């Protein structure tokens, strides 16, 4: 009994539809939409809940499972807890007009240690900001995390 070499019967799997090259930031209809860092989202949602509780005057408010899980997520991953620090980070990020709103929000949420790490996680910024400028931004943000 001889074994014949057969051509493979399968082919490589095509990429999923809509998959984009991360270095080319294409957000479709969300391209120019304002974005928030996780810390900003936490401030907004907590302020809204505080207002609802105040307006309810002791009556229970409807806090859904999704809202509770969202708050838990933001509490775990929002890097800046103090309102003043969140605002300071926003000012630092907003000064970099060469970056899109989405890129600034990603940088503000990820809080990378190095420019190299940041450019790996947010590849669309690779040619938009120098390593030195990015490292300076990350260092300034790190100072705000520790206060």
């Amino acid at each position: 009994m001889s074994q014949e070499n057969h051509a493979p019967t399968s082919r490589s799997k095509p990429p999923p539809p809509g998959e984009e090259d991360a270095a080319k930031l294409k957000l479709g209809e969300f391209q120019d939409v304002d974005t928030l860092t996780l810390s900003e989202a936490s401030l907004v949602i907590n302020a809204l809940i505080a207002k609802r509780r105040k307006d309810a005057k002791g009556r229970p408010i409807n806090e859904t499972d999704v809202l509770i899980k969202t708050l838990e997520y933001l509490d775990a991953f929002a890097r800046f807890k103090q309102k003043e620090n969140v605002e300071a980070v926003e000012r630092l990020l907003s000064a970099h007009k060469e970056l899109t709103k989405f890129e600034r929000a990603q940088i503000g949420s990820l809080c990378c240690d190095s420019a190299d790490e940041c450019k790996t996680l947010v590849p669309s910024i690779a040619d938009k900001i120098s390593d030195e400028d990015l490292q300076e931004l990350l260092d300034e943000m790190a100072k705000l995390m520790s206060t």
Side-chain angles (χ1 to χ4, degrees):
M1 187 185 241
S2 68
Q3 288 187 346
E4 294 181 34
N5 288 336
H6 296 285
T9 58
S10 64
R11 57 187 162 163
S12 62
K13 186 176 176 181
E19 188 172 298
E20 296 287 343
D21 179 357
K24 299 173 190 168
L25 188 63
K26 293 187 180 182
L27 301 175
E29 65 185 280
F30 299 103
Q31 189 68 36
D32 295 315
V33 173
D34 283 336
T35 53
L36 299 174
T37 65
L38 295 176
S39 299
E40 290 170 318
S42 179
L43 279 180
V44 169
I45 293 174
N46 280 307
L48 179 63
I49 290 171
K51 182 180 179 341
R52 285 183 181 173
R53 286 180 180 153
K54 180 182 173 197
D55 292 348
K57 297 179 182 163
R59 295 184 317 266
I61 63 169
N62 184 18
E63 293 183 8
T64 65
D65 287 342
V66 172
L67 177 61
I68 292 166
K69 289 190 184 304
T70 300
L71 288 171
E72 289 171 355
Y73 177 87
L74 292 172
D75 188 48
F77 293 105
R79 305 293 181 128
F80 306 95
K81 307 294 183 190
Q82 304 295 325
K83 181 180 181 188
E84 298 78 22
N85 292 352
V86 174
E87 291 169 347
V89 168
E90 172 57 23
R91 285 191 299 276
L92 286 170
L93 292 167
S94 292
H96 290 276
K97 301 294 184 200
E98 69 275 22
L99 303 174
T100 67
K101 294 172 184 178
F102 177 80
E103 291 165 335
R104 292 191 301 256
Q106 291 303 299
I107 293 168
S109 292
L110 294 169
C111 298
C112 299
D113 292 327
S114 70
D116 185 51
E117 176 188 19
C118 193
K119 287 184 175 185
T120 299
L121 294 175
V122 189
S124 61
I125 68 172
D127 296 328
K128 294 182 179 181
I129 186 170
S130 71
D131 286 353
E132 296 79 20
D133 288 345
L134 182 55
Q135 190 61 55
E136 183 180 322
L137 172 62
L138 296 173
D139 291 344
E140 289 299 315
M141 288 172 43
K143 289 177 190 173
L144 293 168
M145 269 195 295
S146 60
T147 60

